[in-house]
Amino acid sequence: MQKGNGCEMIEQMALRDFERVLLTLYTDADFLKRFLVEPETALAAYGLSEREQKALTGIPRDALSTFQRQLSSKSMGVARHILKMPNRVVL
């Protein structure tokens, strides 16, 4: 059973939604492109508050793009490392 009042639970849910959108911006290149062109349209499906949308649209666009490329590059490096390991099963 969760402890806390209803407001705390709503805030936790809102934080999870915000984090999910942020993660999607960093990991989904197509979503990031849509967000950079039409942020309101890209965010519409997430049900974020106006404050949350402003926070996301306030992130410098070049920072979003740069961080997304860095994560993508890092992920590829990890995948290459795993594929080079002998006696490993990659699913």
Side-chain angles (χ1 to χ4, degrees):
M1 187 166 139
Q2 289 187 342
K3 294 182 180 180
N5 64 33
C7 291
E8 289 173 351
M9 290 172 48
I10 290 170
E11 287 174 9
Q12 290 173 358
M13 288 173 24
L15 179 59
R16 281 194 294 260
D17 291 341
F18 184 84
E19 290 172 340
R20 184 172 49 113
V21 175
L22 195 56
L23 179 63
T24 303
L25 281 170
Y26 291 148
T27 60
D28 184 335
D30 290 333
F31 180 71
L32 177 60
K33 287 176 190 174
R34 287 192 309 274
F35 175 81
L36 293 175
V37 173
E38 289 190 54
E40 293 82 13
T41 303
L43 297 175
Y46 290 94
L48 299 174
S49 70
E50 184 177 332
R51 180 178 173 210
E52 292 165 329
Q53 288 185 32
K54 283 183 180 182
L56 289 168
T57 57
I59 299 172
R61 292 169 181 250
D62 59 334
L64 285 170
S65 298
T66 299
F67 190 62
Q68 193 275 334
R69 282 193 305 273
Q70 290 172 342
L71 282 180
S72 179
S73 177
K74 186 175 183 176
S75 296
M76 289 303 296
V78 170
R80 285 188 198 104
H81 177 72
I82 291 171
L83 291 172
K84 289 180 184 179
M85 295 175 132
N87 302 321
R88 295 281 180 157
V89 176
V90 179
L91 302 175

